[in-house]
Amino acid sequence: MTAKKTSRSAAPARPKVSDYYGCNVFGLETMKLLLPKATFHKVQEAAAKGERLDLDSANAVASAMKTWAIQKGASHYCHWFQPLTGATAEKHDAFIDPTGNGKVLETFTGAMLTQAEPDASSFPSGGLRVTFEARGYTAWDPTSPAFILESETGSTLCIPTCFVSYTGHALDTKTPLLRSIAALDKAALGILSLFQSDAKKVVATLGAEQEYFLIDKEYYDARPDLLLAGRTLFGAGSPKGQQLEDHYFGAIKDRVFSFMTDFESESFKLGIPLKTRHNEVAPHQYECAPVFEEANVAVDHNQLVMDIMKRVAERHGLAALTYEKPFAGVNGSGKHNNWSLGTDTGKNLLSPGATPHENLQFLTILVSIIKAVHTHSLLLRASIASSGNDHRLGANEAPPAIMSIFLGAQLTKVLNDLEKGAVTKGTDPQWISLGIDQIPAVIKDNTDRNRTSPFAFTGNKFEFRAVGASANNAIPMSTLNSIVAAQLIATKKEIDAALKKGKSLKEAVLGTLKQYYTDSKAVCFEGNGYSEEWVVEAKKRGLPNEKTTPSALKGFALKKSVSLFAKLGVLTEEETHSRYHILLEKYAKDIDIEAKLIAEMTTTLFVPAAVEYQNELAKNLAGLSAAGINSPAQASLLRAVSEKVERALVAVDELKLALGNAEALTDVEDKAFAYCDKVKPYFDKVRVEIDALELLLPASTWPLPKYREMLFLM
Ligand code: ADP
Ligand code: MG
């Protein structure tokens, strides 16, 4: 197979980004332009307060949206939502409404905008929805703007929505995310009220760096494992992988560059602020990063980024892979979730401030986050668990499955001083501090980068680096928001109690933080997260290290997790249990698909190719021996091929037996663990033999594209 070539001849002039940025978004500017002033204000107010819009205003918005969308060529609209499959979902309806005389009118009403009723019965509900109540509702989320998805043959108006069951239970990832954002707002404002802040709103901010692979579409289509499981289940390593370290930040190839510019302009049209692009560590691996946004919009945008990336890649004859570990032996892909808290007054609450008050406030929030991660580290781990991410966490390329926090040397010193009740003194001239409540702003430049930490402070934000590349970011983000919100509420309570006892604000705050830091500093780790020593040390510190999805997901089943979500109003008890179930089920299904593929590919692709070669070798040997030529090396080649075929077939039989046993289980927990502990171990047993055969058989007869082709040709 040969890869397509494109050359970078004189590029067509592209329009200036600022001229078309956001042109397919029904954003504030467009609304302001198209709506009566009073309606516009009502929409803004309803969005800010999370309230329902009155019907008249909804009708006005719908009418403006329809006119705008039709002008832009949209014939259909859809409620765009994020069910618990992890993907996005959309059901399109035409704007048409028959008038009775054989004609139609385009209609779109406030009712159509605000609510729809897609049949929910084919989406996972984890027991939340009994079949006779299959109805599900989507409800407009006015905090994330509607947008138009263009394709070559038609355009669709997409309305971001929440997806709930007839009984009001969240069947999606957006609903809890929105609830967690509201809970965090309230909890953070509680803390700010201690520090004379004039902020009226606090939002979680998110900048999600996204890693991905690009390979030629022909190779992708020829690999059933990539097509159905998202990853290669077989493949002998290429002699050249990433060992020369020549891909990271390397010059971008023409064909990739042409994909990237198209992908970016499609994203810009949708108001997605993609800022950075570069080659990543593994061959054919890339990264893009947007400027951060309010977390709800950022999550929607990340879902769109993955979607647009795949569509645009197809146009270029490429396949974009967001799976966590598509190729063994080279790096996998993650998301780096840069997360912080911002106020309506423009302050970043994770920036050390200019005044003692601001710095006390910064420390209060920082230490609360440390305590939250320490208390709920298993829940945080659960929020990023997936069969794909299991291949990364704990492997020496991605942050480990142990949740820990990196703070940097200076902040660590500040906190250690706080614990001792000492005054932090600077050692270098820039670090002139007068006390614990005056943290120099230079800290931003002094938090060096520890790439091995799953949760690192990077000067004015945390970077949650353990998230899988294909994840729906709403799950880790709603979890992070929730654990921090719960802790901020507890922190406020503690400080209030000390104030009541007559302590000064500074005493009350420092006393509380000192205790918290002592309780939770075990989660802080500055060293190499990839090292074996850390695994041993973390165990001593009592930090969980759950390496597989079924055991990590238990984080959702813990009593303290269930009650955390329930108390905050993020997820009811049933909703948390349903998520636990759905994610376990999803894991079992993922492994089931892989197991079946491994068995089928082995028996129908690799073994036939190997047997054919075996026959040829046997014939050849017979001929040689008839001619009286002794050829022991060729005989041993034949023996090697036949032994590997034999062992592969035996392993497949064992795999099938284990698979049958796992399939027969009915309890969802038992099933997930059986797939993990009983079925999955056979994957490598089969693969070892097949990968060895790949290196013995004639390249021209190998039935699939090889690693060296997929990862190096383009
Ligand atoms: P790098 O980590 O590559 O040095 P930056 O630190 O500039 O790059 O930013 C990485 C990501 O962090 C970007 O998406 C950026 O927008 C985001 N980011 C910066 N500030 C914040 C913030 N306050 N909240 C959330 N994300 C942020
Ligand atoms: Mg970064």
Side-chain angles (χ1 to χ4, degrees):
M1 225 169 299
T2 52
K4 287 186 201 81
K5 296 256 185 313
T6 50
S7 66
R8 197 185 293 179
S9 48
R14 282 181 180 266
K16 197 160 81 198
V17 175
S18 54
D19 285 347
Y20 69 92
Y21 186 84
C23 66
N24 283 345
V25 181
F26 194 74
L28 280 184
E29 285 299 305
T30 314
M31 261 197 258
K32 204 170 172 182
L33 213 67
L34 299 180
L35 289 177
K37 221 177 191 167
T39 316
F40 176 69
H41 286 302
K42 272 191 194 165
V43 175
Q44 270 192 311
E45 217 177 277
K49 292 190 184 149
E51 284 167 2
R52 240 187 138 88
L53 198 60
D54 65 84
L55 193 62
D56 281 346
S57 308
N59 277 329
V61 176
S63 161
M65 225 185 239
K66 180 189 77 178
T67 311
W68 172 81
I70 289 174
Q71 249 173 23
K72 296 213 155 262
S75 57
H76 289 63
Y77 71 94
C78 79
H79 276 199
W80 183 80
F81 59 105
Q82 296 168 40
L84 292 164
T85 53
T88 57
E90 47 192 76
K91 177 184 155 215
H92 298 195
D93 279 302
F95 286 121
I96 57 163
D97 190 20
T99 50
N101 55 354
K103 302 271 181 202
V104 293
L105 273 178
E106 270 93 3
T107 330
F108 187 56
T109 63
M112 294 165 168
L113 164 68
T114 49
Q115 190 173 311
E117 195 191 318
D119 184 0
S121 56
S122 296
F123 291 107
S125 78
L128 281 179
R129 170 193 35 70
V130 270
T131 328
F132 62 85
E133 277 170 359
R135 269 181 293 179
Y137 294 95
T138 47
W140 178 35
D141 166 19
T143 59
S144 183
F147 54 91
I148 288 178
L149 269 190
E150 284 177 328
S151 82
E152 266 160 39
T153 48
S155 297
T156 308
L157 169 68
C158 299
I159 298 148
T161 52
C162 294
F163 181 43
V164 295
S165 73
Y166 181 68
T167 47
H169 287 109
L171 293 175
D172 67 347
T173 54
K174 183 190 266 284
T175 306
L177 176 65
L178 288 173
R179 292 171 182 163
S180 76
I181 288 169
L184 187 55
D185 174 23
K186 204 163 146 208
L189 284 178
I191 292 289
L192 296 196
S193 71
L194 294 168
F195 298 100
Q196 307 162 355
S197 160
D198 50 1
K200 296 207 170 50
K201 193 171 176 67
V202 174
V203 295
T205 51
L206 168 63
E209 304 166 40
Q210 175 76 46
E211 292 175 335
Y212 61 98
F213 279 84
L214 278 180
I215 65 168
D216 194 280
K217 183 74 166 42
E218 281 184 33
Y219 294 144
Y220 178 79
D221 288 342
R223 297 271 326 200
D225 45 3
L226 275 180
L227 207 58
L228 301 189
R231 73 177 179 110
T232 54
L233 298 165
F234 300 95
S238 164
K240 181 183 169 184
Q242 62 189 45
Q243 68 271 49
L244 299 181
E245 297 174 332
D246 52 353
H247 194 252
Y248 191 57
F249 283 6
I252 300 172
K253 283 186 182 167
D254 286 351
R255 189 164 174 212
V256 173
F257 186 81
S258 132
F259 153 80
M260 283 178 172
T261 45
D262 270 359
F263 158 51
E264 283 161 356
S265 33
E266 291 302 323
S267 303
F268 292 152
K269 285 192 213 164
L270 292 174
I272 302 171
L274 285 189
K275 175 98 175 151
T276 308
R277 63 182 180 215
H278 62 79
N279 286 3
E280 257 303 327
V281 171
H284 281 352
Q285 192 188 26
Y286 308 91
E287 179 182 302
C288 64
V291 176
F292 71 92
E293 299 175 283
E294 180 278 313
N296 176 40
V297 173
V299 166
D300 283 357
H301 280 173
N302 181 252
Q303 289 296 115
L304 280 172
V305 156
M306 292 192 286
D307 185 43
I308 297 166
M309 169 190 288
K310 287 174 189 171
R311 289 175 200 240
V312 174
E314 287 219 10
R315 278 194 239 148
H316 288 255
L318 296 168
L321 316 177
T322 53
Y323 190 87
E324 282 75 15
K325 184 87 176 174
F327 304 100
V330 296
N331 276 11
S333 302
K335 289 188 215 286
H336 293 172
N337 280 356
N338 296 272
W339 172 91
S340 188
L341 299 172
T343 66
D344 57 343
T345 51
K347 292 246 153 77
N348 177 350
L349 296 178
L350 286 178
S351 276
T355 66
H357 260 99
E358 283 176 350
N359 279 315
L360 264 192
Q361 179 186 296
F362 163 73
L363 278 183
T364 307
I365 294 170
L366 181 81
V367 174
S368 297
I369 294 171
I370 296 172
K371 180 139 171 62
V373 172
H374 182 250
T375 311
H376 295 287
S377 73
L378 194 55
L379 178 57
L380 202 58
R381 168 69 182 91
S383 77
I384 51 164
S386 69
S387 63
N389 219 13
D390 282 0
H391 299 290
R392 291 176 67 240
L393 303 181
N396 276 0
E397 59 170 86
I402 308 160
M403 295 294 112
S404 69
I405 299 181
F406 170 84
L407 291 170
Q410 291 195 329
L411 215 44
T412 302
K413 177 163 164 47
V414 170
L415 293 181
N416 286 340
D417 286 349
L418 167 94
E419 197 184 14
K420 284 185 267 171
V423 166
T424 299
K425 286 257 165 46
T427 43
D428 66 54
Q430 281 179 305
W431 176 255
I432 307 156
S433 178
L434 305 170
I436 205 72
D437 48 2
Q438 294 210 339
I439 300 152
V442 294
I443 212 146
K444 169 145 176 55
D445 311 312
N446 283 291
T447 39
D448 54 300
R449 282 148 192 272
N450 182 328
R451 295 269 156 200
T452 67
S453 175
F455 198 74
F457 186 71
T458 54
N460 60 1
K461 62 188 188 289
F462 276 98
E463 197 172 325
F464 189 15
R465 298 201 183 105
V467 185
S470 72
N472 179 320
N473 249 340
I475 300 173
M477 286 299 96
S478 49
T479 305
L480 179 58
N481 291 342
S482 298
I483 63 174
V484 172
Q487 184 53 50
L488 290 177
I489 293 168
T491 307
K492 168 85 168 28
K493 240 191 195 161
E494 190 98 21
I495 294 173
D496 279 345
L499 288 174
K500 248 197 196 137
K501 285 192 196 140
K503 296 216 165 127
S504 73
L505 179 66
K506 190 169 164 178
E507 284 168 344
V509 169
L510 293 182
T512 303
L513 299 189
K514 184 177 162 171
Q515 187 59 48
Y516 281 178
Y517 183 62
T518 305
D519 294 346
S520 51
K521 67 177 180 188
V523 81
C524 298
F525 178 62
E526 298 288 300
N528 178 6
Y530 295 172
S531 68
E532 260 315 298
E533 294 86 76
W534 173 227
V535 175
V536 177
E537 167 70 18
K539 192 165 179 194
K540 263 196 236 150
R541 295 190 189 184
L543 301 178
N545 180 10
E546 299 299 349
K547 290 194 168 176
T548 66
T549 294
S551 49
L553 284 176
K554 283 202 182 290
F556 280 123
L558 295 177
K559 235 190 184 147
K560 66 177 174 185
S561 309
V562 175
S563 100
L564 169 104
F565 285 133
K567 271 196 197 143
L568 289 172
V570 171
L571 291 169
T572 64
E573 209 172 299
E574 293 94 325
E575 286 171 337
T576 304
H577 284 306
S578 79
R579 273 147 184 82
Y580 176 55
H581 272 234
I582 289 169
L583 292 168
L584 281 174
E585 246 170 34
K586 168 85 168 67
Y587 176 83
K589 286 176 187 167
D590 285 349
I591 305 299
D592 186 70
I593 292 170
E594 293 187 351
K596 287 176 176 152
L597 267 168
I598 287 171
E600 184 188 327
M601 288 170 74
T602 301
T603 27
T604 65
L605 287 170
F606 307 122
V607 167
V611 166
E612 208 174 300
Y613 185 47
Q614 194 174 266
N615 285 337
E616 233 175 79
L617 288 176
K619 242 195 280 165
N620 164 54
L621 267 185
L624 287 171
S625 130
I629 300 171
N630 187 19
S631 44
Q634 296 182 61
S636 83
L637 174 61
L638 173 59
R639 196 168 310 114
V641 171
S642 94
E643 275 170 10
K644 287 178 195 352
V645 169
E646 199 55 31
R647 282 203 293 261
L649 286 175
V650 170
V652 164
D653 278 344
E654 290 168 344
L655 168 66
K656 281 181 172 165
L657 199 66
L659 182 61
N661 292 337
E663 272 178 320
L665 295 170
T666 47
D667 178 82
V668 65
E669 266 179 2
D670 294 346
K671 203 167 177 139
F673 276 101
Y675 273 102
C676 181
D677 301 331
K678 301 276 160 53
V679 177
K680 214 170 154 235
Y682 289 106
F683 290 8
D684 276 345
K685 265 183 108 173
V686 183
R687 181 171 184 157
V688 165
E689 306 304 332
I690 302 301
D691 288 358
L693 281 172
E694 185 182 339
L695 297 177
L696 295 177
L697 261 61
S700 59
T701 65
W702 193 248
L704 296 182
K706 290 169 173 264
Y707 269 33
R708 63 175 150 78
E709 296 170 308
M710 291 186 283
L711 289 173
F712 287 93
L713 281 177
M714 189 169 278

